[in-house]
Amino acid sequence: MANPLIADVNEQNFQQVVLDNSHHLPVLVDFWAPWCGPCKAVMPILEQLAKDYAGLFLLAKVNIDDNQNLANQFGVRSVPTFKLVKAGQIVAELTGGQPASAFKALLDQHISRPSDALREQAQHAQQAGQTEQAIALLQQAAELDPNNHTIHLDLVNILLSTRQFEQATTLFNALPSTAQESAEGKAVTGLLHFASLAAAADDIQTIQQTLRDNANDPAALLGFASILMLHHEYEKAMQALLKLVMVANDYQDGVAKKSLLIIFDALKASHPDLVKTYRRKLQSFLF
């Protein structure tokens, strides 16, 4: 059965299918050719995304062999080339074979989801310390928009910050690999490491008292860094781990260095400057 969210486009219907529709929802234009291997490889990915996003964007396919004027008009020099059109304007583009995560990242910047308002309310509730309300709002958003895995990652983050480690791990492991391997997913993967460390640590009040008595206590520094990570206090967590490297580098088989490397990998996409700074500090101490 034909999918109304996927259209074959030519010079005759381009205005109606792409430009007119782009005033109502984003249109991803796929310039392809029958002889292009990467074009054929990426087509199932795009069709699955059109299904998953369920009406949040339109996929328009342009065969450049049959529509050379369109290809020339839009400056297509190689295939596949993808251009996202919104309100009659090209707002983003990609070229070459791409994974689903690249298309999701492109689309998510320009798509308004029904769940966005609930996610925003949940973030405000969490910032105000209303954790239970934040969780309820995210669960509601997930029911409304089950294919938006960013919602589930938000929920995992809250569960981790409230020490509900088992529930957080179970939810994360149930997500598809595309979500786990996204920049947000990798950040959560790093947090799961610190969740296991925090689960074995004392509570924050005991840790703080221990550090007041002995600022170099290895167990307290590791527990403090782990809790800071779960609350997204990334720089403070790295400071604590760097101090642990300095005072007890061999503690728990070098757990401080290993943990810093996990942070670097988890945050290199979202906090590149911070990672670069602390990678340099770690290297200067070790070498």
Side-chain angles (χ1 to χ4, degrees), residues 150-165:
T150 307
I151 298 169
H152 300 96
L153 292 172
D154 286 350
L155 188 53
V156 171
N157 274 309
I158 290 182
L159 292 172
L160 288 174
S161 69
T162 54
R163 300 181 70 86
Q164 299 180 63
F165 302 138

Side-chain angles (χ1 to χ4, degrees), residues 19 185 232:
L19 298 180
H232 307 289

Side-chain angles (χ1 to χ4, degrees), residues 12-282:
Q12 287 70 44
N13 67 4
F14 190 88
Q15 174 69 42
Q16 178 184 3
V17 175
V18 176
L19 298 180
D20 292 349
N21 277 322
S22 73
H23 291 277
H24 307 290
L25 77 169
V27 180
L28 181 63
V29 185
D30 171 17
F31 291 93
W32 69 286
W35 43 264
C36 167
C39 297
K40 295 178 181 178
V42 81
M43 194 72 74
I45 295 174
L46 295 174
E47 292 174 348
Q48 184 61 48
L49 286 173
K51 178 180 177 181
D52 290 345
Y53 277 68
L56 295 176
F57 80 96
L58 172 67
L59 174 62
K61 301 188 293 183
V62 178
N63 181 339
I64 65 166
D65 285 355
D66 297 335
N67 299 278
Q68 279 291 335
N69 288 338
L70 282 177
N72 292 334
Q73 179 183 343
F74 285 90
V76 176
R77 306 190 184 282
S78 64
V79 287
T81 289
F82 313 94
K83 297 182 184 287
L84 189 66
V85 182
K86 189 174 182 181
Q89 303 294 321
I90 297 172
V91 294
E93 57 185 288
L94 290 171
T95 57
Q98 298 284 344
S101 58
F103 292 109
K104 288 170 67 77
L106 180 145
L107 289 166
D108 287 345
Q109 294 180 49
H110 299 281
I111 282 177
S112 297
R113 293 175 175 270
S115 56
D116 286 345
L118 289 170
R119 280 191 68 211
E120 186 174 351
Q121 291 175 36
Q123 290 168 0
H124 290 316
Q126 176 67 0
Q127 291 167 1
Q130 300 169 340
T131 302
E132 291 185 6
Q133 182 180 353
I135 291 175
L137 286 165
L138 288 173
Q139 290 172 336
Q140 185 180 346
E143 291 177 4
L144 185 65
D145 195 358
N147 291 315
N148 185 357
H149 299 300
T150 307
I151 298 169
H152 300 96
L153 292 172
D154 286 350
L155 188 53
V156 171
N157 274 309
I158 290 182
L159 292 172
L160 288 174
S161 69
T162 54
R163 300 181 70 86
Q164 299 180 63
F165 302 138
E166 184 175 349
Q167 298 94 316
T169 302
T170 299
L171 177 57
F172 182 78
N173 289 339
L175 293 175
S177 59
T178 51
Q180 294 181 2
E181 293 167 7
S182 66
E184 297 88 349
K186 286 184 178 179
V188 171
T189 300
L191 291 178
L192 291 173
H193 165 78
F194 291 99
S196 65
L197 294 176
D202 291 327
D203 61 80
I204 186 61
Q205 290 80 13
T206 301
I207 289 172
Q208 289 174 324
Q209 182 59 53
T210 301
L211 289 174
R212 281 193 287 269
D213 296 336
N214 178 10
N216 294 332
D217 184 277
L221 284 170
L222 182 61
F224 190 47
S226 301
I227 293 171
L228 287 169
M229 278 299 297
L230 296 180
H231 287 84
H232 307 289
E233 297 282 354
Y234 301 133
E235 184 166 14
K236 291 180 181 178
M238 285 189 278
Q239 289 172 350
L241 288 170
L242 191 62
K243 184 172 184 178
L244 180 53
V245 170
M246 294 175 179
V247 301
N249 188 28
D250 59 349
Y251 181 69
Q252 291 190 12
D253 296 322
V255 67
K257 177 185 173 183
K258 293 175 185 176
S259 297
L260 279 167
L261 294 178
I262 288 172
I263 295 176
F264 296 160
D265 185 58
L267 300 184
K268 61 185 178 183
S270 58
H271 296 73
D273 292 339
L274 189 61
V275 167
K276 187 182 299 183
T277 297
Y278 278 85
R279 191 186 295 275
R280 187 167 54 247
K281 288 184 178 183
L282 177 62

